Every structure is written in C-alpha cells, then in structure tokens.
Amino acid sequence: MHITLQVNGEQHMLDIDPRTSILDALRNHIGLTGTKKGCDHGQCGACTVLVNGRRINSCLTLAVMHDEDAITTIEGLGEPDHLSPLQAAFVRHDGFQCGYCTSGQICSATAMLDELQQGWPSHVSADLEAAPDPTDAEISERMSGNLCRCAAYPNIVDAIREVAGGGK
C-alpha cells in the first residue's frame, strides 16, 4: 500500500505491506532507530511514540491506520545539542541505565505531562474534578505501561516530577 507518514514534521511516502507496524515502518523503512522493539507484544512500552500527541505502543499499531497522522519519535523531541526539558531532566537525574527503554519512557512521559496539564484524572487521582498533582503515585500509575528492566524507576519519577513541577 502507498501511505504517507508525517514523522517528526517530515513527510515520508512509503510503499509497504499493510501488515507493517508503525514500529517497523519507523525502523526499517524510514531509518529512525530511536524507537526500540522490546517485547513486540505491547507489554513493555519500549516502542512508545506519539501519534497526534497521544502515546501509543507502535508495535501494536499498523502504519496504514495512520496515513497522514502526525507521529513524533524520540528523535523529534530533541537533539543532542538541544534536548527537550524532559530529556535534560532524565540526564540530570540519571533516569536510565542501559538506555534501552529510555526513548519509550521519554515519549510516554511527554504525553503524560500533557495529560496532567489538561487535567485528565488517573486511577489514583484523589479528586476527579481537581487538577492532578504529579505525586510519585500519580506518575507511577500513569507510567505503568513502560517497564525498565534496570529498575531506574525512582530516577525516572524524579525527572518527570521535576519537569511537571510537582512534589512528592
């Protein structure tokens, strides 16, 4: 099938098998390898990208379903000389060890911060009408779809909390 993917602000015209996931389109057809293939079953979050500002597991989503949608990968959030605030916070707080899950963690956290700003409650939000407070419990709940085998969770939460401007 012929599709056009808008990835990190650039248009990519692809001729792909309709069974190709966004993850495989990004890595194998466009050459963006920052998004990682972890479990390939949607259980680890290493493949998390943003589609129209919402986080998704790119291993579970077919590229043909997102013709013309705006896809943002870790490469689109910042560059080595100009990191996003969240990327810089991950570095400051050592929110990674092996780094394999980091791109998915940062993409997911970017969308999570937007959800907080929009006032979306989560399962652990104490008040469904009040603006969510970025507590450790709130951040952990919202990031529960992203696993880190190195167990850098406390540092990841610290980095996210710093950018969210929240307390413990």
Side-chain angles (χ1 to χ4, degrees), residues 60-67 69:
L60 295 181
T61 307
L62 298 176
V64 296
M65 296 169 55
H66 296 284
D67 189 27
D69 283 349

PDB file of all heavy atoms in Angstrom, residues 60-67 69:
ATOM      1  N   LEU A  60       2.063  -2.361  18.169  1.00  0.00           N
ATOM      2  CA  LEU A  60       0.713  -2.914  18.058  1.00  0.00           C
ATOM      3  C   LEU A  60      -0.159  -2.176  17.052  1.00  0.00           C
ATOM      4  O   LEU A  60      -1.316  -2.532  16.865  1.00  0.00           O
ATOM      5  CB  LEU A  60       0.001  -2.854  19.420  1.00  0.00           C
ATOM      6  CG  LEU A  60       0.569  -3.705  20.527  1.00  0.00           C
ATOM      7  CD1 LEU A  60      -0.257  -3.538  21.791  1.00  0.00           C
ATOM      8  CD2 LEU A  60       0.628  -5.170  20.117  1.00  0.00           C
ATOM      9  N   THR A  61       0.381  -1.150  16.418  1.00  0.00           N
ATOM     10  CA  THR A  61      -0.419  -0.289  15.555  1.00  0.00           C
ATOM     11  C   THR A  61       0.079  -0.379  14.125  1.00  0.00           C
ATOM     12  O   THR A  61       1.263  -0.173  13.862  1.00  0.00           O
ATOM     13  CB  THR A  61      -0.337   1.165  16.056  1.00  0.00           C
ATOM     14  OG1 THR A  61      -0.676   1.196  17.433  1.00  0.00           O
ATOM     15  CG2 THR A  61      -1.276   2.054  15.295  1.00  0.00           C
ATOM     16  N   LEU A  62      -0.822  -0.643  13.214  1.00  0.00           N
ATOM     17  CA  LEU A  62      -0.444  -0.745  11.808  1.00  0.00           C
ATOM     18  C   LEU A  62      -0.211   0.646  11.221  1.00  0.00           C
ATOM     19  O   LEU A  62      -0.987   1.576  11.463  1.00  0.00           O
ATOM     20  CB  LEU A  62      -1.526  -1.469  11.014  1.00  0.00           C
ATOM     21  CG  LEU A  62      -1.797  -2.916  11.425  1.00  0.00           C
ATOM     22  CD1 LEU A  62      -2.966  -3.485  10.626  1.00  0.00           C
ATOM     23  CD2 LEU A  62      -0.554  -3.774  11.255  1.00  0.00           C
ATOM     24  N   ALA A  63       0.842   0.755  10.443  1.00  0.00           N
ATOM     25  CA  ALA A  63       1.187   2.043   9.837  1.00  0.00           C
ATOM     26  C   ALA A  63       0.070   2.539   8.916  1.00  0.00           C
ATOM     27  O   ALA A  63      -0.205   3.743   8.875  1.00  0.00           O
ATOM     28  CB  ALA A  63       2.504   1.918   9.069  1.00  0.00           C
ATOM     29  N   VAL A  64      -0.590   1.643   8.196  1.00  0.00           N
ATOM     30  CA  VAL A  64      -1.637   2.059   7.256  1.00  0.00           C
ATOM     31  C   VAL A  64      -2.818   2.723   7.960  1.00  0.00           C
ATOM     32  O   VAL A  64      -3.569   3.468   7.341  1.00  0.00           O
ATOM     33  CB  VAL A  64      -2.128   0.888   6.372  1.00  0.00           C
ATOM     34  CG1 VAL A  64      -1.013   0.371   5.488  1.00  0.00           C
ATOM     35  CG2 VAL A  64      -2.724  -0.234   7.215  1.00  0.00           C
ATOM     36  N   MET A  65      -2.967   2.480   9.246  1.00  0.00           N
ATOM     37  CA  MET A  65      -4.050   3.108  10.019  1.00  0.00           C
ATOM     38  C   MET A  65      -3.751   4.574  10.323  1.00  0.00           C
ATOM     39  O   MET A  65      -4.623   5.294  10.802  1.00  0.00           O
ATOM     40  CB  MET A  65      -4.260   2.354  11.331  1.00  0.00           C
ATOM     41  CG  MET A  65      -4.723   0.929  11.158  1.00  0.00           C
ATOM     42  SD  MET A  65      -4.669  -0.030  12.691  1.00  0.00           S
ATOM     43  CE  MET A  65      -5.630   0.960  13.791  1.00  0.00           C
ATOM     44  N   HIS A  66      -2.523   5.006  10.063  1.00  0.00           N
ATOM     45  CA  HIS A  66      -2.102   6.348  10.455  1.00  0.00           C
ATOM     46  C   HIS A  66      -1.577   7.172   9.284  1.00  0.00           C
ATOM     47  O   HIS A  66      -0.733   8.045   9.459  1.00  0.00           O
ATOM     48  CB  HIS A  66      -1.078   6.250  11.589  1.00  0.00           C
ATOM     49  CG  HIS A  66      -1.690   5.661  12.806  1.00  0.00           C
ATOM     50  ND1 HIS A  66      -2.524   6.374  13.631  1.00  0.00           N
ATOM     51  CD2 HIS A  66      -1.657   4.394  13.297  1.00  0.00           C
ATOM     52  CE1 HIS A  66      -2.956   5.588  14.603  1.00  0.00           C
ATOM     53  NE2 HIS A  66      -2.445   4.382  14.413  1.00  0.00           N
ATOM     54  N   ASP A  67      -2.113   6.894   8.109  1.00  0.00           N
ATOM     55  CA  ASP A  67      -1.784   7.678   6.923  1.00  0.00           C
ATOM     56  C   ASP A  67      -2.097   9.143   7.212  1.00  0.00           C
ATOM     57  O   ASP A  67      -3.210   9.475   7.641  1.00  0.00           O
ATOM     58  CB  ASP A  67      -2.625   7.168   5.746  1.00  0.00           C
ATOM     59  CG  ASP A  67      -2.212   7.750   4.409  1.00  0.00           C
ATOM     60  OD1 ASP A  67      -1.037   8.127   4.263  1.00  0.00           O
ATOM     61  OD2 ASP A  67      -3.076   7.797   3.517  1.00  0.00           O
ATOM     62  N   ASP A  69      -1.226  10.980   9.690  1.00  0.00           N
ATOM     63  CA  ASP A  69      -1.201  11.378  11.102  1.00  0.00           C
ATOM     64  C   ASP A  69       0.183  11.911  11.462  1.00  0.00           C
ATOM     65  O   ASP A  69       1.183  11.559  10.846  1.00  0.00           O
ATOM     66  CB  ASP A  69      -1.524  10.189  12.023  1.00  0.00           C
ATOM     67  CG  ASP A  69      -3.005   9.864  12.051  1.00  0.00           C
ATOM     68  OD1 ASP A  69      -3.805  10.665  11.543  1.00  0.00           O
ATOM     69  OD2 ASP A  69      -3.349   8.796  12.591  1.00  0.00           O
TER      70      ASP A  69
END
